[in-house]
Amino acid sequence: MAATIPGVGLSCSTKLSQIISLSSSSRSSRCSVKMTVSVEEKKKSFSLKKSEEAFKVAQELMPGGVNSPVRAFKSVGGQPIIFDAVKGSHMWDIDGNEYIDYVGSWGPAIIGHADDEVLAALAETMKKGTSFGAPCLLENVLAEMVISAVPSIEMVRFVNSGTEACMGVLRLARAFTRRQKIIKFEGCYHGHADPFLVKAGSGVATLGLPDSPGVPKGAAFDTLTAPYNDILAVKDLFETHKGEIAAIILEPVVGNSGFITPNPDFLNGIREITKENDALLIFDEVMTGFRLAYGGAQEYFGMTPDLTTLGKIIGGGLPVGAYGGRRDIMEMVAPAGPMYQAGTLSGNPLAMTAGIHTLKRLKEPGTYEYLDKITGELVQGIVDAGKKAGHAICGGHIRGMFGYFFTEGPVFCFDDAKKSDTAKFARFYRGMLEEGVYFAPSQFEAGFTSLAHSSEDIQQTIAAAERVLKQI
Ligand SMILES: Cc1ncc(COP(=O)(O)O)c(C=O)c1O
């Protein structure tokens, strides 16, 4: 039944069908006729009229008009852009605007959006069905690829999201150690399960919510927090809670407070302290896995945690997550062991297929060197342009992950990140959108490049940043 949208005078279904038909016709003309459009022309024709109409409808249908909060543009003003299609390093919205994309679906699109080989493989797999709810050979293939790539993983369990992976790994760590408490770091995000919604970084910070209502006190009671990069604070927690801490979980490079790298002493320190206290070390590599190196942050830093979570890239753009680690720990997972965790769609053949073909591409020689080169140029270009225009700005990158803050820096933890001028970031953000560059709509999110980003994309982005940074 069609719902009527107040103040719009059209039913949802009429309105949506109009928007959809308009958007597909505008995109097909855009894709078939490649025109050279000047920056001025592009800015003049920039309109979000259809996005605005669609978002009005969406707000009546879904809380806040979105299905994940950070998409709502709350911290940069305006409203979200409604997208129609993605390909390579570019995205098109339903008004026909084209953007160079540095969100990459929040990380999965590392070989570029809608890669032809991935799409062809998916089409083949789809001929055999979309879900078996039973084992399939593709699970073995992806499991072998993950195990041979990620140093800490001897056995793996596939799930459907990063949140699910972190929920599973937490239960496993508690089951294995028979302890309750965990340490997480301020500003690190490990999905939206209750025990992790304590000082949880970007999404929560962006909305200005300290913690979420609905999280029972008991669920968060055993979650201890420390500032990122602060090994003394971690030592204090182990002193105070001797014999009670099951695990430390962290983003080995933070993406959910903006881009923050760990000090070498910090990583070595938490590895030592967990060993000394018979606690487990968990790397949440949902974001960094296969992004900083083929073997993730642990390969990049030469450190082996006990357990690891993955997501995003290993599903090549389809819903997936995974957790894995030492065999003696993983053998506790049901049905091999007593720790229960299950999933109707886990190991889904389509998600496995997209993951396998994405990892195959990443394994080709030179991929991470290329990501490092273009991402380094991008960040240097933005930071140089910012400084030249007189702004306090700092930034950094590792391979295909990057960030910049509107503050002098250096940024070692979430409190440092919060010194950023977020109002300035919002002005920069909106200026870049009009220039056809799509960054993450929050100062507290990392950015991502892909193998599909060309030097031309990077140079265009830097030129746009130079123009915008002079005006804000
Ligand atoms: C480090 C980290 N862990 C866990 C998650 C949760 O993953 P998902 O959104 O797939 O549930 C995210 C999501 O961005 C993440 O960045």
Side-chain angles (χ1 to χ4, degrees):
M1 211 178 77
T4 304
I5 306 305
V8 176
L10 280 170
S11 72
C12 269
S13 53
T14 320
K15 194 80 187 155
L16 275 178
S17 59
Q18 281 179 356
I19 291 163
I20 287 163
S21 70
L22 282 169
S23 75
S24 51
S25 63
S26 67
R27 188 173 73 84
S28 56
S29 60
R30 197 157 258 272
C31 290
S32 55
V33 187
K34 186 155 171 56
M35 295 182 297
T36 316
V37 185
S38 77
V39 173
E40 282 316 309
E41 278 172 299
K42 199 172 182 178
K43 282 176 83 170
K44 242 189 248 163
S45 67
F46 184 80
S47 156
L48 295 175
K49 197 164 172 289
K50 287 178 203 156
S51 267
E52 282 159 14
E53 285 170 8
F55 188 59
K56 259 188 216 151
V57 178
Q59 281 173 300
E60 293 297 318
L61 302 170
M62 295 167 282
V66 292
N67 283 304
S68 195
V70 78
R71 294 179 197 173
F73 273 47
K74 291 270 187 208
S75 69
V76 289
Q79 61 138 78
I81 292 166
I82 315 295
F83 283 97
D84 180 46
V86 288
K87 188 76 184 167
S89 57
H90 286 224
M91 301 170 88
W92 289 264
D93 70 18
I94 61 171
D95 285 277
N97 301 305
E98 181 174 354
Y99 305 87
I100 304 170
D101 172 36
Y102 294 101
V103 180
S105 192
W106 300 99
I110 191 164
I111 63 169
H113 289 289
D115 176 79
D116 287 342
E117 270 175 42
V118 173
L119 293 185
L122 281 171
E124 278 307 302
T125 301
M126 227 174 334
K127 285 182 193 159
K128 298 180 178 182
T130 58
S131 173
F132 306 155
C136 68
L137 279 177
L138 295 163
E139 291 169 282
N140 289 10
V141 177
L142 188 59
E144 271 176 11
M145 291 176 94
V146 167
I147 289 167
S148 62
V150 184
S152 70
I153 300 189
E154 293 172 355
M155 280 187 123
V156 66
R157 163 62 56 89
F158 290 115
V159 292
N160 301 290
S161 69
T163 295
E164 238 192 281
C166 293
M167 284 165 67
V169 90
L170 174 60
R171 187 175 303 140
L172 178 59
R174 285 173 164 166
F176 185 79
T177 57
R178 296 169 188 239
R179 296 174 180 177
Q180 301 294 312
K181 297 205 182 295
I182 54 153
I183 298 177
K184 79 173 280 292
F185 294 96
E186 292 166 13
C188 283
Y189 179 64
H190 305 293
H192 63 81
D194 287 350
F196 295 122
L197 279 187
V198 182
K199 303 194 175 171
S202 60
V204 184
T206 301
L207 291 175
L209 302 173
D211 283 309
S212 174
V215 175
K217 267 193 207 140
F221 178 77
D222 286 316
T223 307
L224 310 170
T225 60
Y228 198 79
N229 271 326
D230 188 342
I231 193 65
L232 291 178
V234 176
K235 283 186 178 154
D236 277 352
L237 289 173
F238 272 95
E239 288 280 307
T240 314
H241 301 278
K242 250 195 179 350
E244 293 180 290
I245 296 171
I248 295 181
I249 185 166
L250 83 160
E251 293 180 61
V253 168
V254 186
N256 287 289
S257 311
F259 175 83
I260 302 177
T261 53
N263 297 329
D265 289 354
F266 174 65
L267 279 191
N268 292 331
I270 56 172
R271 181 62 285 188
E272 270 168 36
I273 205 167
T274 43
K275 278 194 174 151
E276 280 164 17
N277 287 277
D278 296 321
L280 300 176
L281 178 60
I282 306 169
F283 272 17
D284 178 352
E285 296 230 39
V286 168
M287 202 179 260
T288 54
F290 293 92
R291 180 160 284 281
L292 303 191
Y294 192 69
Q298 50 201 275
E299 178 193 313
Y300 185 83
F301 292 114
M303 278 201 54
T304 311
D306 302 295
L307 292 165
T308 298
T309 55
L310 295 167
K312 301 190 190 266
I313 288 173
I314 61 158
L318 275 87
V320 98
Y323 61 97
R326 271 170 34 200
R327 181 174 291 274
D328 60 323
I329 308 176
M330 288 303 290
E331 280 180 341
M332 281 209 83
V333 179
M339 192 226 71
Y340 191 73
Q341 183 272 308
T344 300
L345 291 174
S346 298
N348 173 271
L350 293 178
M352 298 295 105
T353 299
I356 291 164
H357 288 271
T358 301
L359 298 198
K360 264 192 195 159
R361 178 74 58 77
L362 284 173
K363 209 166 180 206
E364 287 171 11
T367 49
Y368 291 94
E369 287 80 358
Y370 181 73
L371 289 171
D372 202 48
K373 178 180 169 293
I374 56 162
T375 317
E377 282 169 12
L378 174 73
V379 175
Q380 197 60 51
I382 293 172
V383 170
D384 286 351
K387 286 190 173 153
K388 208 167 154 200
H391 301 294
I393 187 167
C394 64
H397 84 287
I398 297 180
R399 306 279 168 75
M401 181 173 172
F402 70 91
Y404 53 89
F405 293 105
F406 281 101
T407 179
E408 213 60 69
V411 174
F412 292 122
C413 62
F414 194 32
D415 276 347
D416 293 341
K418 283 192 285 191
K419 290 177 193 151
S420 296
D421 185 339
T422 50
K424 190 179 277 181
F425 172 80
R427 293 196 295 279
F428 176 65
Y429 185 82
R430 298 215 59 84
M432 290 302 278
L433 265 190
E434 288 188 25
E435 292 270 353
V437 178
Y438 189 71
F439 284 129
S442 163
Q443 173 75 108
F444 305 118
E445 293 284 355
F448 303 112
T449 49
S450 77
L451 296 176
H453 282 82
S454 62
S455 291
E456 199 190 348
D457 287 331
I458 302 298
Q459 291 317 317
Q460 272 182 26
T461 305
I462 295 171
E466 282 168 353
R467 285 189 291 273
V468 174
L469 285 160
K470 274 188 210 151
Q471 289 159 17
I472 58 170

